[in-house]
Amino acid sequence: MLTKYNPKINYSKLCSKYHRLTNIILHSSPKNYTKEIITFTKKQMVDFSFCGAINGYFVANIDAYLEGLNHNSCLHKKIAIDKEGNIKNCPSMTEVFGNIKNIKLEEVLQNKDFKKY
């Protein structure tokens, strides 16, 4: 998950509640540090032209390498919802697969065009 840092949110509690979250990157944080699966970065990401700029925050390991042999390692097992609620494979992509206001994520995940990436 990549989102803007918000001092009002207890991110550790969020991790406890949603066990499927494996990596959280919080941009525009007051300082740079990592705690558990959460990376706080002072880098400000104000638009979606930063695609690829966050790659330094991901760790490569044997599981990620093996997965990358068969899947697009940037998009596999990822979903993005932009500030308007549009559902995409990646925030910087133009193709939209619906809007969170009127379609369930489960429906999007079954869409063959969404899965092709």
Side-chain angles (χ1 to χ4, degrees):
M1 177 170 91
L2 170 67
T3 190
K4 185 175 182 180
Y5 171 78
N6 182 337
K8 296 178 182 177
I9 296 175
N10 181 334
Y11 293 101
S12 294
K13 191 173 184 178
L14 185 71
C15 293
S16 298
K17 185 174 181 181
Y18 299 101
H19 299 284
R20 294 187 70 181
L21 287 173
T22 58
N23 191 359
I24 300 172
I25 301 169
L26 303 170
H27 70 84
S28 306
S29 174
K31 60 183 180 174
N32 293 322
Y33 68 100
T34 300
K35 180 181 178 186
E36 299 168 3
I37 65 167
I38 308 168
T39 299
F40 297 81
T41 178
K42 294 192 311 189
K43 183 183 288 187
Q44 295 184 7
M45 299 177 188
V46 295
D47 59 35
F48 295 118
S49 64
F50 59 81
C51 184
I54 61 171
N55 64 1
Y57 300 110
F58 294 101
V59 177
N61 56 39
I62 191 65
D63 292 331
Y65 171 76
L66 293 172
E67 182 179 319
L69 293 175
N70 297 306
H71 303 283
N72 179 322
S73 60
C74 183
L75 300 175
H76 188 241
K77 297 184 182 178
K78 295 177 181 76
I79 191 166
I81 302 170
D82 70 15
K83 62 185 177 183
E84 283 86 32
N86 296 316
I87 303 167
K88 305 175 179 185
N89 287 99
C90 170
S92 65
M93 293 179 79
T94 56
E95 190 171 3
V96 174
F97 298 95
N99 191 288
I100 196 71
K101 296 172 189 165
N102 54 30
I103 192 169
K104 293 182 179 186
L105 289 178
E106 291 85 2
E107 292 177 57
V108 174
L109 294 172
Q110 297 307 314
N111 181 314
K112 67 176 177 61
D113 291 327
F114 181 85
K115 293 194 306 189
K116 75 181 175 187
Y117 297 109

